[in-house]
Amino acid sequence: MPGAAFDSFSPSLIDFLEDLTDNNDRDWFKANKARYESEVVEPALAFIGAMEPRIRKISKHFEAIPKKTGGSMMRIYRDTRFSNDKTPYKTNVGIQFRHERGKNIHAPGFYLHIEPDSVFLGVGLWRPERDALADIRQAIAIDPKRWKRVCDAKAFAAAYELGGDTLVRPPKGYDEDHPMIVDLKRKDFIATATLEPEKLEVPGLPDRIAKSFKSASAFIGFLCEAIGIQY
């Protein structure tokens, strides 16, 4: 199995991302493509392979797919069509273990983000589509006590912080004085846990990340149930 022996990342991964940040152009990337493959792609795929059985233990409905394209590792190439920033490459590694029914980054998932100055875990749904967003809000309004229990669970609350964008005004159908209005205004239902970059290099990384993801099970489970998919 790919990545069966993976235990931690090498400092060379962050080194490459730092160099890419300073040289974000196609000529430099072409000249350093072999470095990208050996220092970023190969260890990232090995990590994904190592996480596959661990993700399945958390939920059999989430997938870890160690493929260069169409798998859990996100593309390094930026979509610059609608952006003022025309730099061609992302300067981070993004890895998402997505629900089996998810087709894009808007699906429920577990996420690892590696950037020179920002390493974190993420769980939940980023920018859920309109119907899913409405279903989550309704689930919170119907059973606010359960939602609070999920968010306040000791292990989850100790590691994760809810974040993302919110509406300025209440969503349609909800009043400003609704007791759950802070959560009902959310446009994202995500939580993040910050990691120290050097911890990526400590042996036993897959087990530690799996343990952190496991602590978010009730949170992810609530969201999956709300949008009508299995957890």
Side-chain angles (χ1 to χ4, degrees):
M1 180 185 71
F6 180 92
D7 205 33
S8 63
F9 286 106
S10 163
S12 61
L13 186 148
I14 294 291
D15 290 343
F16 179 89
L17 295 177
E18 289 176 336
D19 290 344
L20 178 59
T21 300
D22 294 334
N23 304 275
N24 198 334
D25 63 74
R26 291 180 175 83
D27 289 341
W28 184 90
F29 190 81
K30 183 178 179 180
N32 289 270
K33 187 68 177 292
R35 275 188 67 197
Y36 171 65
E37 293 290 338
S38 64
E39 297 174 13
V40 178
V41 175
E42 290 178 10
L45 295 182
F47 167 74
I48 294 167
M51 289 298 294
E52 195 277 334
R54 293 168 170 86
I55 292 294
R56 286 287 177 178
K57 274 190 173 183
I58 296 171
S59 169
K60 64 182 181 180
H61 298 290
F62 284 75
E63 299 177 320
I65 305 172
K67 292 168 56 178
K68 291 177 66 173
T69 58
S72 298
M73 183 178 178
M74 295 182 176
R75 287 165 45 87
I76 196 169
Y77 305 100
R78 295 184 63 250
D79 184 351
T80 62
R81 292 174 298 172
F82 310 108
S83 173
N84 291 326
D85 179 1
K86 298 301 181 182
T87 51
Y89 306 105
K90 300 173 187 174
T91 56
N92 67 78
V93 174
I95 295 170
Q96 187 186 33
F97 304 113
R98 194 176 297 161
H99 194 278
E100 62 190 1
R101 289 181 56 183
K103 297 179 181 178
N104 54 41
I105 59 173
H106 305 290
F110 301 93
Y111 177 70
L112 170 63
H113 182 96
I114 303 175
E115 198 168 358
D117 297 322
S118 178
V119 178
F120 62 87
L121 302 179
V123 295
L125 281 89
W126 180 79
R127 292 291 190 278
E129 295 173 350
R130 184 180 63 181
D131 290 347
L133 184 58
D135 289 341
I136 294 168
R137 287 172 174 156
Q138 184 179 40
I140 292 171
I142 289 173
D143 197 349
K145 289 184 178 179
R146 182 185 170 198
W147 175 247
K148 288 180 179 179
R149 285 198 306 272
V150 164
C151 295
D152 294 340
K154 186 175 180 180
F156 177 73
Y160 290 90
E161 181 177 358
L162 268 65
D165 290 342
T166 63
L167 297 170
V168 174
R169 296 181 178 83
K172 185 177 181 180
Y174 298 97
D175 296 327
E176 183 66 57
D177 60 356
H178 192 289
M180 300 301 294
I181 196 60
V182 171
D183 289 315
L184 294 174
K185 282 184 177 181
R186 294 187 185 279
K187 295 163 64 176
D188 304 308
F189 285 89
I190 57 172
T192 58
T194 301
L195 299 180
E196 297 174 8
E198 56 268 26
K199 292 294 179 65
L200 294 173
E201 303 163 21
V202 178
L205 182 68
D207 285 336
R208 292 196 305 277
I209 289 181
K211 182 178 179 180
S212 185
F213 285 160
K214 178 69 174 176
S215 73
S217 282
F219 178 75
I220 293 281
F222 182 101
L223 298 175
C224 287
E225 183 178 326
I227 65 175
I229 60 177
Q230 288 184 298
Y231 181 74

